[in-house]
Amino acid sequence: MHRTASSQRSDHGKWTLSSSDDEAEKCVNPSTSSSSSSVIRDESLPRYPCSDARKASQKRKLNPLKFKEAAHNKDVSPAKKLKSDKDDSGWCMSSSDEESKPLGKVKVKKEEQGPQETLQTASLKKTSSQRQTAQTHEKYKTPSDSRDAWDVLQTGEPFRFYLTKVNGIKPKYNAGALHIKDILSPLFGTLESSVQFNYCIDIPWLVKQYPEEYRKKPLLIIHGEKRESKARLHEAAHPYENVRLCQAKLDIAFGTHHTKMMLLLYKEGLRVVIHTSNLIHDDWHQKTQGIWLSPLYPRIAEGASISAGESATHFRADLMAYLASYNSPSLKEWMDIIKQHDLSETRVYLVGSTPGRYQGNDKEKWGHLRLRKILRENTSPIPGGENWPLIGQFSSIGSMGADNTKWLYSEFRESLRTLGTGVKPVGKTDPPLLLIYPSVDNVRTSLEGYPAGGSFPYSIQTAQKQPWLHSYFHRWKAETSGRSRAMPHIKTYTRVSPDSQELAWFLVTSANLSKAAWGSFEKKGTQMFIRSYELGVLFLPSAFGIDTGLYSVKRNIYSANEDCKNAFPVPFDLPLEHYGGKDRPWVWNIPYVNAPDTNGNIWCPK
């Protein structure tokens, strides 16, 4: 018996989603008995609270479904049956023409091999490659010697912006990157206590990332879990006497505690780390993430004015205001610690979001209006800059409304396009908006294969309501950094010149493309409504003493030949590559069964 199929036409063709019983049968592993394959037991669930998409990813890693077994099923997919003969560019969610391409080009050079031979050859090569990778990258899994750690810090100057290490790529592409073990290394300071702010937290894994001598130091974890997931988190923390938990208040529906920050108190001073990774193994293994690592802030000398520790970007005051929004006694202690340190060397601006409804002067404290305010007050108009494209990169997408005028253009783009206090251009001078989000093929051919899609929780329910949005999408591409196959969980927003040579500014943040993260207007624009906690840092050329007010684009982020002062290391390739006619965005909660991923598996989220 077939249930109804839903479809939606967009600029990229037609989506067809089948939820029939027949297709569900293709998501059963034939190598196991029906009683064990159709039900995935509770032990396959992650031991930490997380999203449904990540739970599905974890299940599939533990119980993969092989493509070669599904391919022997001669029955045509119900999704294929529903595809019209006239629908040449059909966006059939589980079987597009592009998805049907074999992975021979990715894993095997001899394209004339048959499908079965291709998979076997790919498997042999993968095994050999994994063995070689394990040997080659051994020293890159954990902090290297002192020279390597300090060399990494030097490569990040003056911006102190880093990517995370990726297991399975060439060592040269990890040369300027950091792992969480590097960040927590004794080489960066003698740790006395720390705070970890995050969304998804695996406490046993997190504790092991600290050097053994620091694993019993006081650790405060700020989270947003409630009810059952909160109970699981407390259960995970129970064996560790040094770990305290602090629940961020989330009284507004659909809000999350999404901020990713570390406060590290050393014997030598204080460090702030703002990044994009969850505190779980997968986010630090084979994904591209962003990190801003502050300088080591020294203690303020006794008798010195407290104002002496503030930076030109007002970073300390803004950080204190953000921590105060939690209204937590535990964080009040850390606010006192921050007051005792000199943060004057900070060159970035803090851009945060906290849940609530804000009016008057408070309306510009958080969210996209906070970004708009900083850009208005600290940048200048660029001749011809009204045509410079705006680029957004993210790993999750909220509901945008029926068309681009409902929020994306009317609010969000208005903030991103701000440059100084000049008059806003209108009409044909509107800057284009370019959005980077992985396509199905990006995910399928990634290092992790389909399970990487668990980090991109864009649902079919949301996607079908806004097919207009997908015409803005561009593929993930990072060949110059060797990271095209390391899926991007990083979130960045920037403004780039039409020739892709210069940047007006750059933001790395935890905030995805959603009203919950960035805020939306209420009461005819007099009130800002935000659901979630988010945090990021904004890099303005003026704060780094760049007289032109513009960064040049550092195309090869590992090159030592470019002007480090003016060249910003953009973590994706420019110019961007727009989705092709058969590309479609990754949607996590539908099956992809007609083409194997890099591990020879198919994707069945249920």
Side-chain angles (χ1 to χ4, degrees):
M1 182 177 100
H2 294 273
R3 292 188 289 275
T4 330
S6 55
S7 62
Q8 182 73 55
R9 180 166 293 280
S10 77
D11 291 344
H12 293 286
K14 186 178 181 182
W15 268 353
T16 305
L17 168 65
S18 172
S19 59
S20 72
D21 297 331
D22 288 345
E23 175 141 308
E25 289 178 5
K26 292 192 75 175
C27 292
V28 172
N29 191 338
S31 65
T32 60
S33 65
S34 60
S35 61
S36 62
S37 61
S38 60
V39 177
I40 299 175
R41 294 183 175 82
D42 289 342
E43 58 261 27
S44 66
L45 291 173
R47 59 188 177 189
Y48 45 84
C50 62
S51 66
D52 289 341
R54 286 188 179 272
K55 290 176 183 176
S57 176
Q58 184 75 4
K59 289 177 181 179
R60 281 297 152 245
K61 285 181 179 180
L62 295 175
N63 188 17
L65 302 177
K66 289 295 179 183
F67 170 75
K68 61 181 180 180
E69 293 158 344
H72 289 161
N73 186 344
K74 296 182 180 180
D75 294 336
V76 178
S77 164
K80 202 73 171 179
K81 293 176 184 176
L82 288 167
K83 184 179 177 181
S84 168
D85 292 335
K86 296 179 181 180
D87 188 13
D88 296 332
S89 61
W91 232 15
C92 173
M93 295 304 285
S94 60
S95 71
S96 76
D97 294 334
E98 180 165 335
E99 186 190 358
S100 299
K101 293 179 182 178
L103 282 177
K105 291 184 180 180
V106 177
K107 302 299 289 183
V108 184
K109 293 182 179 179
K110 294 183 179 180
E111 296 175 19
E112 66 273 11
Q113 292 174 321
Q116 185 65 31
E117 186 179 358
T118 299
L119 282 170
Q120 290 173 347
T121 306
S123 178
L124 288 173
K125 288 196 171 188
K126 185 174 185 298
T127 302
S128 175
S129 174
Q130 285 176 335
R131 188 179 301 113
Q132 183 179 0
T133 296
Q135 297 170 351
T136 305
H137 295 275
E138 188 64 32
K139 76 171 186 175
Y140 291 94
K141 292 181 180 178
T142 57
S144 309
D145 57 36
S146 59
R147 290 175 302 165
D148 177 68
W150 290 113
D151 285 346
V152 169
L153 289 182
Q154 290 303 310
T155 61
E157 294 293 350
F159 308 114
R160 308 189 69 84
F161 172 65
Y162 305 89
L163 301 181
T164 50
K165 288 182 178 178
V166 173
N167 190 286
I169 63 176
K170 293 181 180 180
K172 67 177 181 178
Y173 296 131
N174 278 326
L178 292 170
H179 188 268
I180 186 172
K181 286 187 175 181
D182 294 301
I183 297 171
L184 299 174
S185 166
L187 298 170
F188 288 5
T190 309
L191 191 70
E192 293 185 336
S193 61
S194 60
V195 189
Q196 295 282 356
F197 298 71
N198 223 289
Y199 168 61
C200 191
I201 306 161
D202 182 344
I203 292 179
W205 177 86
L206 172 61
V207 170
K208 289 181 181 178
Q209 305 317 299
Y210 284 80
E212 192 169 356
E213 60 267 36
Y214 297 159
R215 289 178 188 171
K216 293 187 178 180
K217 298 289 185 180
L219 169 58
L220 176 64
I221 295 176
I222 313 297
H223 68 92
E225 303 300 340
K226 298 179 180 179
R227 297 179 286 277
E228 293 85 355
S229 58
K230 178 182 176 181
R232 290 202 302 273
L233 196 65
H234 276 264
E235 183 180 1
H238 183 71
Y240 308 98
E241 295 181 356
N242 61 309
V243 174
R244 287 189 300 153
L245 299 177
C246 175
Q247 180 182 3
K249 292 182 180 180
L250 289 167
D251 299 327
I252 300 174
F254 306 113
T256 60
H257 182 259
H258 205 243
T259 291
K260 296 164 178 65
M261 175 169 64
M262 307 180 194
L263 300 178
L264 306 174
L265 179 62
Y266 304 113
K267 185 177 181 179
E268 300 85 0
L270 175 71
R271 196 185 303 277
V272 179
V273 183
I274 296 174
H275 60 103
T276 66
S277 303
N278 286 288
L279 295 175
I280 60 176
H281 169 266
D282 286 356
D283 272 31
W284 296 86
H285 182 53
Q286 290 184 319
K287 289 187 174 64
T288 294
Q289 308 274 10
I291 302 168
W292 174 74
L293 191 76
S294 82
L296 179 61
Y297 299 130
R299 284 185 173 272
I300 294 177
E302 289 187 17
S305 169
I306 293 180
S307 61
E310 183 58 283
S311 69
T313 61
H314 305 288
F315 183 84
R316 190 173 72 169
D318 293 333
L319 179 59
M320 297 276 283
Y322 177 79
L323 296 180
S325 71
Y326 286 84
N327 194 26
S328 163
S330 297
L331 286 177
K332 177 65 170 59
E333 298 174 14
W334 278 88
M335 291 169 64
D336 293 337
I337 290 172
I338 292 170
K339 289 179 183 177
Q340 299 165 10
H341 288 81
D342 182 356
L343 279 62
S344 61
E345 292 300 311
T346 312
R347 298 187 184 186
V348 296
Y349 292 84
L350 198 69
V351 179
S353 293
T354 63
R357 288 179 163 87
Y358 304 98
Q359 299 178 338
N361 293 334
D362 290 341
K363 197 172 69 167
E364 293 184 321
K365 286 182 66 175
W366 314 111
H368 70 79
L369 282 189
R370 164 67 178 165
L371 175 60
R372 185 185 300 189
K373 182 176 188 288
I374 298 174
L375 293 175
R376 183 178 68 243
E377 295 178 351
N378 299 280
T379 64
S380 300
I382 302 169
E386 62 272 11
N387 296 316
W388 284 32
L390 303 164
I391 298 177
Q393 176 184 22
F394 39 83
S395 60
S396 185
I397 307 168
S399 180
M400 302 285 107
D403 56 59
N404 64 8
T405 66
K406 295 298 184 288
W407 178 80
L408 188 67
Y409 271 33
S410 62
E411 296 185 36
F412 189 60
R413 192 185 67 158
E414 284 301 306
S415 291
L416 268 62
R417 70 185 288 184
T418 302
L419 280 175
T421 56
V423 178
K424 295 178 182 177
V426 293
K428 295 182 180 179
T429 57
D430 281 356
L433 182 63
L434 315 178
L435 304 178
I436 302 172
Y437 182 77
S439 67
V440 173
D441 208 50
N442 277 151
V443 174
R444 183 177 72 90
T445 59
S446 69
L447 291 168
E448 300 170 85
Y450 287 130
S455 298
F456 305 97
Y458 192 31
S459 71
I460 185 64
Q461 291 78 10
T462 302
Q464 286 182 316
K465 294 176 183 177
Q466 51 195 33
W468 59 267
L469 178 65
H470 309 144
S471 64
Y472 296 89
F473 285 175
H474 294 70
R475 291 171 64 92
W476 162 246
K477 194 173 181 181
E479 293 180 0
T480 57
S481 62
R483 289 169 176 262
S484 284
R485 297 180 63 217
M487 286 296 92
H489 191 256
I490 189 174
K491 294 90 171 147
T492 65
Y493 302 85
T494 187
R495 192 163 194 182
V496 63
S497 61
D499 62 2
S500 301
Q501 298 294 319
E502 295 176 302
L503 298 179
W505 51 266
F506 186 89
L507 172 73
V508 60
T509 176
S510 63
N512 283 303
L513 187 66
S514 74
K515 292 185 283 186
W518 285 103
S520 58
F521 291 150
E522 293 181 330
K523 297 184 177 181
K524 298 181 179 180
T526 63
Q527 181 169 283
M528 170 64 84
F529 175 41
I530 300 175
R531 296 178 186 271
S532 298
Y533 292 91
E534 306 283 358
L535 203 60
V537 291
L538 174 66
F539 300 83
L540 294 185
S542 58
F544 290 88
I546 299 175
D547 296 335
T548 62
L550 296 171
Y551 297 119
S552 59
V553 174
K554 190 172 186 179
R555 296 189 175 277
N556 184 347
I557 65 175
Y558 303 104
S559 172
N561 299 324
E562 297 180 73
D563 181 357
C564 291
K565 180 181 177 182
N566 294 334
F568 196 92
V570 179
F572 45 79
D573 290 349
L574 289 170
L576 300 182
E577 180 182 336
H578 195 274
Y579 272 19
K582 295 176 181 178
D583 278 325
R584 63 255 190 266
W586 170 263
V587 172
W588 80 270
N589 58 340
I590 58 174
Y592 301 97
V593 300
N594 290 314
D597 66 9
T598 47
N599 300 308
N601 298 324
I602 59 175
W603 175 254
C604 294
K606 300 299 182 182

